[in-house]
Amino acid sequence: MAKGKINVSVENIFPLIKKFLYSDHEIFLRELVSNATDATLKLKHLTSIGEASVEYGNPIIEVKVDKEGKKIHIIDQGVGMTQDEVKKYINEIAFSGAEEFLDKYKDSAKDSGIIGHFGLGFYSAFMVAEKVEIITKSYTDAPAAHWTCDGSPNFTLEEADKETRGTEIVLHIAEDSTEFLEESRIGELLSKYNKFMPVPIKFGTKTETLPKPEDAKEEDPAPTQEVDNIINNPNPAWTKQPTELKEEDYKQFYRELYPMQFEEPLFHIHLNVDYPFNLTGILYFPKLTNDLNIQKDRIALYQNQVFVTDNVEGIVPEFLTMLRGVIDSPDIPLNVSRSYLQADGAVKKISSYITRKVADKLASLFKNSREDFEAKWNDIKIVIEYGMLSEEKFFEKADKFALYPTVDGAFYTFEELQEKLKENQTDKDDKLVILYASNQEEQHSYIEAAKDKGYEVLLLDSPIVSHLMQKLETSKENISFARVDADHLDNLIKKEDTPISKLSEEEQESLKTSIEETINNKSYTIQLEAMDSNASPFIITEPEFMRRMKEMQQTGGGGMFGMGNMPEMYNLVVNTNHELVSEILNTKTAKKKARLINQSLDLARLSKGLLKGEELTNFIKRSYEMVK
Ligand code: ADP
Ligand code: MG
């Protein structure tokens, strides 16, 4: 038996391995199964080019938990190693790799993220094991080898009597890692990291029911047999060509990824490039409404079918992190911090490639089945609007397919909307006035008033829409958005034939003064207007600018700090052609006049949703008194 000492600069590297990678202990299994996979695929390659004169067959990898013996076995049928190879690959190369990794890691230990996911390789076994054995037989004629190491730099290496080709790794699990002796824990890890690895992985057996033989009696139980329990799908959908897959295959793969999702995805995007970087994957647009799994079921990053992380921040543009699915790329550096990652050239290219593919997919959906696209709009608008705000490139493309729905369920693109409105929705400076509502219930009376005048009212109700309007107003010429209750419509939109006021100048002065005195509130600006006699007598509006600033503050508008609490500011528009308004003017008793004004104001506030709490209670009491 050969004994030796691994050449180390740190006296004992293993405690370091434990300490620095504390939270990531579980990756040992992924590393060892990855090595088993590499060894198997290496053999496949060697046999295919005639370098190895053995039968490749149908190799599998087996993971076994021996709870009593406190051991985990990882067994493969790959290339195996000779004694010399063990010395070289395990004692020297793997070790120096681990050492180098720890060196780097020490410096950036606080930079969490992807770091720590890869690089430690074989030696990650010592994060959970107090002793590790390798029993391995090369595919060549060389005798088998047996290596043991107890976590100190000392190892032993001797001949073994293993007959079959391949490698068995035996982990003697340490006292503080016995959680890994639970079948359920290992099962969980295998499904997290190895669910789509390219070589079948066996974990235990399962019972399969066979068809009954023809001469079986009714009461005879169906025969069963024990079969290997293969936990992975070695050929996941994203590794195939889009032409090989049907719509149903994509849906099936979605269910495979997210077994707890009962809602089908809206559509998918198949990513597939090999130059200037290598990337495959499938992204799905989920239905986001009321989705509780939004935090849990995220896009997963794989490298060569090995799961790395489901935190793709910095790799996938932020607005697309609401999507689901898989991306697989060997070109994403993993032993680096997030900030370095974002500056990496390949990663930048990957990110903009993904953005472009998503935009192209949406554009083609829009073009090929507009009806379907409209039906899905509500579920996808958040992603699109967010993308338009955050990525200029995306804005340019999305501008052609982003939709603006009306309160009556029609959908326009921006261009169509401009065309539609240019006839009768412009202001005095010939600027297009785009009217919208953010809540059909709350703004009902205002929407009706606008529709009565023949105006088109959009329904823009997503939380970031005020930011988007701001962006559209600056990037397009001659347009402005105004909520239906932003201002009195006749002030917003140029009208050819404004009704003339029934009241004289003097009467108007006196009316204004009595309303101002009665209301006595700085938040209201009184505005007299001559409108149709059947329009409301009192209407409250809120200037678009002020309201939008407030909304943008709430949804985190950049650069809006310091604007603090903006004052409530309303216009009280008084229709001088309304009968009730004449009555207010002509009422002689001061008390009755005040009552008419206050009651009308409260009705206007009620209609705007401003009457609440005690004021509402008092209003209702007062109204009952009046109808008695
Ligand atoms: P990496 O996989 O990045 O090369 P590792 O530390 O995981 O680094 O493994 C070091 C080397 O040990 C591998 O490159 C391989 O040559 C050898 N090795 C590890 N596990 C096996 C195995 N199951 N079968 C054959 N060789 C292996
Ligand atoms: Mg490895």
Side-chain angles (χ1 to χ4, degrees):
M1 187 204 299
K3 287 195 179 185
K5 207 166 173 197
I6 300 167
N7 185 20
V8 240
S9 52
V10 212
E11 179 46 36
N12 199 341
I13 197 168
F14 303 111
L16 279 181
I17 292 177
K18 275 201 164 172
K19 192 170 149 220
F20 282 113
L21 294 171
Y22 186 75
S23 60
D24 268 340
H25 282 182
E26 63 178 38
I27 62 153
F28 78 92
L29 189 61
R30 178 192 59 191
E31 291 298 324
L32 298 178
V33 175
S34 292
N35 284 349
T37 304
D38 293 346
T40 309
L41 296 179
K42 233 179 258 173
L43 184 71
K44 186 181 191 178
H45 179 70
L46 291 177
T47 52
S48 76
I49 60 167
E51 281 283 311
S53 52
V54 293
E55 193 62 42
Y56 178 64
N58 294 303
I60 62 167
I61 293 165
E62 184 173 5
V63 177
K64 280 197 291 200
V65 178
D66 169 6
K67 195 171 176 178
E68 245 145 66
K70 297 187 177 170
K71 286 185 287 190
I72 298 177
H73 302 254
I74 296 112
I75 306 154
D76 69 58
Q77 298 156 23
V79 280
M81 286 179 275
T82 62
Q83 281 210 26
D84 281 347
E85 284 168 335
V86 173
K87 277 187 205 152
K88 185 168 156 201
Y89 297 130
I90 300 297
N91 291 348
E92 291 165 27
I93 300 180
F95 194 81
S96 66
E99 209 178 8
E100 192 185 308
F101 175 81
L102 282 178
D103 240 22
K104 266 199 215 154
Y105 191 79
K106 269 190 286 189
D107 296 335
S108 47
K110 284 183 194 67
D111 202 344
S112 60
I114 275 179
I115 188 160
H117 276 297
F118 267 79
L120 201 50
F122 172 75
Y123 277 93
S124 61
F126 289 99
M127 297 194 298
V128 299
E130 58 191 15
K131 184 169 123 187
V132 178
E133 294 178 68
I134 304 175
I135 304 144
T136 179
K137 165 111 181 62
S138 160
Y139 71 94
T140 63
D141 291 335
H146 186 178
W147 178 92
T148 39
C149 180
D150 63 0
S152 74
N154 303 310
F155 69 90
T156 63
L157 183 59
E158 60 189 326
E159 228 179 270
D161 52 11
K162 181 173 163 59
E163 295 285 333
T164 51
R165 176 190 71 224
T167 301
E168 173 166 1
I169 308 282
V170 186
L171 307 179
H172 298 259
I173 299 300
E175 274 310 313
D176 61 2
S177 298
T178 49
E179 61 173 299
F180 297 112
L181 290 171
E182 300 300 328
E183 296 255 342
S184 59
R185 180 79 172 113
I186 295 299
E188 185 190 301
L189 292 182
L190 289 172
S191 101
K192 176 172 174 185
Y193 291 107
N194 309 321
K195 199 168 157 187
F196 299 114
M197 288 188 66
V199 177
I201 300 164
K202 174 186 172 183
F203 184 53
T205 56
K206 62 181 180 191
T207 312
E208 211 175 63
T209 310
L210 296 170
K212 281 190 186 183
E214 285 199 4
D215 55 353
K217 292 196 199 89
E218 185 83 42
E219 64 273 22
D220 286 347
T224 57
Q225 69 176 4
E226 285 294 297
V227 292
D228 290 352
N229 179 33
I230 302 297
I231 59 94
N232 60 330
N233 169 5
N235 302 301
W238 85 82
T239 62
K240 297 177 184 164
Q241 289 298 319
T243 47
E244 290 174 54
L245 299 165
K246 297 201 173 60
E247 195 54 41
E248 185 45 40
D249 298 320
Y250 286 105
K251 287 185 179 159
Q252 176 56 35
F253 182 58
Y254 187 78
R255 287 190 286 269
E256 216 176 313
L257 282 175
Y258 310 110
M260 302 309 285
Q261 275 294 341
F262 301 109
E263 194 89 66
E264 290 205 330
L266 296 167
F267 48 85
H268 67 266
I269 298 155
H270 198 129
L271 307 169
N272 196 341
V273 247
D274 49 24
Y275 184 82
F277 51 84
N278 208 303
L279 178 95
T280 49
I282 299 173
L283 296 179
Y284 293 94
F285 259 76
K287 240 184 146 139
L288 291 172
T289 27
N290 301 327
D291 198 329
L292 300 172
N293 290 317
I294 196 160
Q295 284 307 315
K296 217 177 74 216
D297 292 339
R298 300 192 293 181
I299 298 175
L301 173 65
Y302 282 72
Q303 284 203 337
N304 298 320
Q305 295 174 239
V306 186
F307 174 84
V308 179
T309 176
D310 63 0
N311 178 0
V312 291
E313 187 194 326
I315 300 162
V316 171
E318 199 187 344
F319 78 100
L320 293 176
T321 50
M322 286 179 261
L323 304 196
R324 300 213 169 99
V326 168
I327 54 174
D328 188 334
S329 173
D331 292 331
I332 298 170
L334 293 173
N335 285 316
V336 300
S337 69
R338 290 276 168 184
S339 49
Y340 181 87
L341 193 67
Q342 279 164 18
D344 184 83
V347 173
K348 273 188 190 159
K349 284 201 193 98
I350 287 174
S351 173
S352 60
Y353 166 78
I354 294 173
T355 304
R356 182 158 48 84
K357 285 296 274 195
V358 170
D360 291 350
K361 175 76 183 197
L362 291 165
S364 87
L365 280 174
F366 171 75
K367 201 170 135 232
N368 299 332
S369 62
R370 171 139 180 187
E371 211 176 307
D372 193 31
F373 189 77
E374 289 180 359
K376 286 170 175 157
W377 178 253
N378 251 323
D379 293 302
I380 60 178
K381 66 183 176 193
I382 281 277
V383 174
I384 297 176
E385 289 168 354
Y386 190 18
M388 289 171 80
L389 276 172
S390 53
E391 304 267 330
E392 200 50 40
K393 283 258 161 57
F394 187 78
F395 179 90
E396 281 160 28
K397 295 202 173 188
D399 194 29
K400 300 194 179 63
F401 57 70
L403 293 177
Y404 300 86
T406 70
V407 287
D408 299 317
F411 288 86
Y412 299 119
T413 62
F414 201 84
E415 208 181 278
E416 291 162 355
L417 186 67
Q418 281 176 305
E419 195 51 39
K420 177 92 190 167
L421 303 188
K422 76 176 185 218
E423 283 305 313
N424 70 334
Q425 262 175 260
T426 50
D427 67 8
K428 294 165 194 71
D429 308 318
D430 273 334
K431 227 181 185 183
L432 221 55
V433 180
I434 304 170
L435 289 176
Y436 69 98
S438 59
N439 186 320
Q440 245 173 317
E441 298 275 294
E442 283 172 18
Q443 292 143 19
H444 183 266
S445 64
Y446 298 87
I447 296 170
E448 289 305 302
K451 288 200 331 198
D452 280 350
K453 294 193 181 276
Y455 300 144
E456 199 72 59
V457 181
L458 301 182
L459 179 63
L460 303 179
D461 56 2
S462 57
I464 53 169
V465 83
S466 46
H467 296 270
L468 184 62
M469 289 186 296
Q470 204 79 358
K471 174 156 177 73
L472 289 166
E473 284 173 346
T474 46
S475 59
K476 310 233 175 227
E477 272 164 35
N478 268 334
I479 61 134
S480 68
F481 284 87
R483 208 167 83 174
V484 277
D485 57 351
D487 215 336
H488 183 244
L489 297 172
D490 289 347
N491 286 342
L492 272 174
I493 296 168
K494 177 170 68 186
K495 280 208 53 170
E496 309 300 315
D497 46 349
T498 335
I500 308 162
S501 182
K502 287 198 287 199
L503 308 183
S504 69
E505 297 261 329
E506 272 166 23
E507 286 174 317
Q508 295 197 31
E509 261 321 299
S510 124
L511 177 69
K512 196 169 175 191
T513 318
S514 32
I515 294 174
E516 265 165 3
E517 281 170 0
T518 310
I519 293 176
N520 189 24
N521 184 338
K522 290 265 176 320
S523 312
Y524 288 95
T525 309
I526 315 297
Q527 226 173 279
L528 301 191
E529 295 274 342
M531 295 183 233
D532 292 337
S533 56
N534 56 1
S536 297
F538 280 26
I539 302 162
I540 293 172
T541 62
E542 186 180 7
E544 177 75 11
F545 176 77
M546 295 295 275
R547 199 208 70 250
R548 213 192 289 171
M549 287 299 136
K550 269 192 257 175
E551 280 169 9
M552 287 169 71
Q553 258 179 343
Q554 280 158 12
T555 50
M560 304 292 298
F561 306 103
M563 301 200 65
N565 286 325
M566 278 200 282
E568 304 273 302
M569 263 181 46
Y570 300 106
N571 296 320
L572 176 61
V573 185
V574 178
N575 179 2
T576 55
N577 287 343
H578 198 279
E579 239 185 278
L580 180 62
V581 175
S582 309
E583 200 185 324
I584 291 175
L585 179 69
N586 299 325
T587 300
K588 296 285 173 290
T589 33
K591 214 170 156 194
K592 188 177 174 204
K593 195 177 200 137
R595 207 185 66 208
L596 286 176
I597 292 172
N598 282 327
Q599 190 72 4
S600 305
L601 175 67
D602 277 354
L603 284 165
R605 293 171 72 203
L606 192 63
S607 166
K608 173 97 171 98
L610 291 172
L611 202 60
K612 289 179 190 137
E614 194 183 347
E615 288 183 312
L616 180 59
T617 312
N618 290 340
F619 168 80
I620 288 167
K621 258 192 213 153
R622 199 159 11 99
S623 302
Y624 278 132
E625 283 304 313
M626 284 166 71
V627 292
K628 236 178 17 194

